[in-house]
Amino acid sequence: MAVFVLLGKQLKLLRERAGLSQTEFGALVGYGPDQVSAMERGVRTPRPEFLAKADEILGAHGMLIAVIPDVKEAMRRGRTRHPEWYRDHAAMEAEAVELHFYANQAMPGLLQTEDYARAVFRQRRPFLSEETIEKRVADRLSRQQVFERWPPPVVSYVLEEVLLDRPIGGTQVFGEQLRNLLRVGNMRNVEIQVMPTRREEHPNLDSAFNLLVPNGHGQVVYMEAQGYPQLITGPEEVRKIADRYGIMRAMALSPLESRSLITRKVEEL
């Protein structure tokens, strides 16, 4: 939407006038440099509370606060560009009170940096056009605003250790991706656990999946296999997958142990 593109240009101009890099500004407002970059390019919606804080830090004298009603209206009307087959899941994810993820091939979308996401989409077969890739990257970044809600959802991850060793996008991109895991994992409502590769037993030698508890509804499961999405709502089927996830969390490294492992992987790059 044009409002976000124009707002992004204003943010960039104000930040540069304040003599702050994207990293420095991000640290002051509690965002990573990728998130700041995405907002400045208009592909990520700035939250009203972010705009209020940025107005003060950047000395905007009410300029950013003045656009908050327009931002709220644009958010209300919705600006999702997710593929049609994905929209129901994206809508549930945005409102969920609990989100739990198991990943065994690539970092889950909500954890991905912009450059890592772009590298993932560029490896899709059949090939995606550059326009489609940029659209998908923007959609993925917009989903990450779920971390900014209040009250925040309860979020957990079980990541196979191989994800910490597969340098998608190259060393620099992957290093920033691992550092992003540490940043997100430091949030009070997020727990990231790593499943060691050398475990002799595993309750889910199958595909990745997401467990969601939509606001006001029972738990559901979303998964994709070779491009075919599936939303599972049957209580018994959901119970079986949730049971596997519980066993995996018990077998995986603790969040603190996982953080130490991720830190070592960063140092080894």
Side-chain angles (χ1 to χ4, degrees), residues 125-228:
R125 299 293 189 278
F127 292 116
L128 300 174
S129 69
E130 287 300 314
E131 180 183 2
T132 299
I133 289 172
E134 292 308 310
K135 177 171 170 287
R136 296 283 178 88
V137 170
D139 292 342
R140 185 150 291 181
L141 294 177
S142 72
R143 286 174 51 212
Q144 295 175 3
Q145 292 178 104
V146 70
F147 290 123
E148 299 162 25
R149 281 174 24 208
W150 188 264
V154 174
V155 185
S156 73
Y157 291 90
V158 174
L159 309 177
E160 291 292 340
E161 185 180 357
V162 66
L163 301 189
L164 308 182
D165 296 315
R166 182 175 293 139
I168 292 175
T171 301
Q172 184 174 345
V173 168
F174 189 62
E176 185 56 36
Q177 175 60 60
L178 292 183
R179 283 186 282 272
N180 193 55
L181 290 186
L182 296 173
R183 185 185 66 81
V184 177
N186 199 42
M187 296 179 180
R188 288 188 299 164
N189 61 310
V190 180
E191 290 190 341
I192 296 177
Q193 294 179 253
V194 177
M195 176 68 82
T197 301
R198 296 185 64 83
R199 285 284 188 264
E200 294 183 0
E201 298 180 359
H202 199 303
N204 188 68
L205 298 176
D206 209 326
S207 62
F209 59 80
N210 303 349
L211 281 161
L212 303 88
V213 181
N215 192 13
H217 298 279
Q219 192 171 51
V220 300
V221 176
Y222 175 82
M223 63 177 67
E224 295 175 28
Q226 297 300 318
Y228 291 92

Side-chain angles (χ1 to χ4, degrees), residues 193-268:
Q193 294 179 253
V194 177
M195 176 68 82
T197 301
R198 296 185 64 83
R199 285 284 188 264
E200 294 183 0
E201 298 180 359
H202 199 303
N204 188 68
L205 298 176
D206 209 326
S207 62
F209 59 80
N210 303 349
L211 281 161
L212 303 88
V213 181
N215 192 13
H217 298 279
Q219 192 171 51
V220 300
V221 176
Y222 175 82
M223 63 177 67
E224 295 175 28
Q226 297 300 318
Y228 291 92
Q230 185 178 14
L231 183 65
I232 301 171
T233 59
E236 183 58 19
E237 290 304 308
V238 171
R239 184 196 65 79
K240 291 176 183 177
I241 295 173
D243 180 60
R244 291 177 208 154
Y245 187 71
I247 296 171
M248 283 192 286
R249 291 195 72 182
M251 294 176 64
L253 300 177
S254 70
L256 183 59
E257 292 169 331
S258 298
R259 187 176 184 83
S260 296
L261 176 60
I262 296 168
T263 299
R264 290 201 302 274
K265 298 288 187 179
V266 173
E267 294 170 349
E268 291 169 1

Side-chain angles (χ1 to χ4, degrees), residues 2-4 6-8 10-11 14 45-52 54-55 60-75 77:
V3 63
F4 296 112
L6 291 173
L7 181 54
Q10 287 181 328
L11 277 170
L14 288 167
T45 307
R47 307 289 292 186
E49 53 270 27
F50 163 82
L51 291 171
D55 191 275
H61 305 294
M63 182 190 303
L64 299 179
I65 292 175
V67 301
I68 288 178
D70 297 308
V71 169
K72 287 183 176 179
E73 176 60 17
M75 292 170 67
R77 285 187 278 112

